[in-house]
Amino acid sequence: MTSVTRDSDVHITYEDQQKINRFARCNARHGDIKEELKIKENDLQNLQDAEDEMLIALDSDEKVPFMVGEVFIMKTQDEAQEAISSQREDLQEEISILNSRSSELQDTMTQLKGDLYAKFGNNINLEPEEE
C-alpha cells in the first residue's frame, strides 16, 4: 500500500518515515473499523428482522425464545421487545462511536497524504490497492 520509489533524489527523513508509518497504522485501523461497522450494521438489521417476525408470526400471549449468550430463554413478547430495543440502542451507540473514529482516522490520513504527496509527489503511493 505505502511505498516510496528508490530511484528519486528525494531524501526520506526520520519525520517522513514517522508520517508514513502513522498513515499505515491509521489506514489499517480504518479498515478494521469498516469491517466492524459492517458486522454491527448487519447485527442491527438482524434485530429489526427478528422484531418484525415476532410481531407478524406470534400471538401476543405467546412466549418467544430469546438468546442470552449461548442459551435460549423464554420471554414474553413485551420482554423480548424491550430486550431487542435495548440491544438496538446499544448497537446504534457503538455504530455512532465507530463512525466517529472512522471519520477522525480519515481526517488524519487526509492530512498525512497531503503532507507526504507535497514532499514526494508521484514517488509515493498512498492509495489503496485494487482487489
Side-chain angles (χ1 to χ4, degrees), residues 11-75:
H11 177 69
I12 300 174
T13 65
Y14 176 77
E15 290 78 20
D16 296 333
Q17 187 61 53
Q18 292 302 98
K19 287 181 181 180
I20 293 168
N21 293 345
R22 185 169 180 218
F23 179 87
R25 285 190 308 272
C26 288
N27 192 49
R29 182 64 183 132
H30 188 257
D32 292 344
I33 287 174
K34 284 171 56 175
E35 287 181 32
E36 198 172 341
L37 271 169
K38 285 180 189 175
I39 292 168
K40 299 281 185 198
E41 288 167 351
N42 187 47
D43 290 348
L44 191 60
Q45 183 60 49
N46 288 342
L47 283 175
Q48 184 62 49
D49 293 346
E51 188 174 35
D52 293 345
E53 284 296 317
M54 185 177 65
L55 292 173
I56 293 171
L58 301 174
D59 295 328
S60 61
D61 59 342
E62 247 182 289
K63 288 198 172 195
V64 295
F66 193 85
M67 188 174 213
V68 177
E70 296 181 13
V71 184
F72 284 97
I73 60 172
M74 298 304 285
K75 288 188 175 226

